[in-house]
Amino acid sequence: MDEWHYYSLQYADGHIAHGIYPDTLPMLPRMILRDVSVKDMSCLDCGAMEGLMSVLMAKRGAANVIATDSDFHCSAKMAALRVAHKARLYFQRTPLAYGMDKALTGGFDLINLSGLLYHVVSPLM
């Protein structure tokens, strides 16, 4: 997996694929999630890219994790990361942010929007 990565990720063989940000840059969503217990929760990760936050939620004991994105551009990397970390999560392609509410059913205990909000013209809309 020596292609472009958004986040720095560790794959099964211990190989680290470096993302577009310096490894020393604190990732705010990851820091916030550190203080949240997701054990036995149903979690949704919107705009998941390679699935870093989704994998972290699964590894921390979430009962159900759905990773979403509007395209399959990172699905191979997400699949490799899921295998590397033995993370139970599911990927669902969804429309862009303004149609996502019609694509997803059911409720979630935790919704991560860190990969989505900066693409939305008006988050309150």
Side-chain angles (χ1 to χ4, degrees):
M1 288 282 160
D2 287 329
E3 55 192 277
W4 179 92
H5 283 73
Y6 191 75
Y7 300 109
S8 290
L9 306 165
Q10 182 175 343
Y11 288 99
D13 59 359
H15 172 73
I16 305 236
H18 292 281
I20 62 173
Y21 300 105
D23 291 339
T24 56
L25 181 71
M27 299 302 282
L28 189 57
R30 187 173 182 177
M31 292 171 67
I32 291 170
L33 187 61
R34 213 181 282 165
D35 294 330
V36 176
S37 173
V38 296
K39 185 160 178 52
D40 299 324
M41 287 186 170
S42 179
C43 300
L44 174 65
D45 186 12
C46 298
M49 291 294 291
E50 297 102 342
L52 171 66
M53 298 300 286
S54 308
V55 167
L56 290 174
M57 288 185 262
K59 288 182 75 165
R60 295 192 59 219
N64 181 37
V65 178
I66 297 177
T68 68
D69 217 310
S70 63
D71 200 350
F72 292 108
H73 63 287
C74 289
S75 59
K77 291 182 262 185
M78 185 183 297
L81 193 64
R82 182 175 52 212
V83 169
H85 293 276
K86 298 176 180 72
R88 200 175 121 224
L89 63 98
Y90 305 94
F91 176 76
Q92 180 176 339
R93 185 170 184 242
T94 55
L96 296 176
Y98 295 107
M100 192 176 291
D101 60 326
K102 291 166 186 56
L104 297 166
T105 59
F108 298 94
D109 299 305
L110 183 134
I111 300 174
N112 175 43
L113 297 169
S114 64
L116 179 84
L117 285 180
Y118 60 95
H119 292 290
V120 178
V121 176
S122 175
L124 296 178
M125 197 174 129

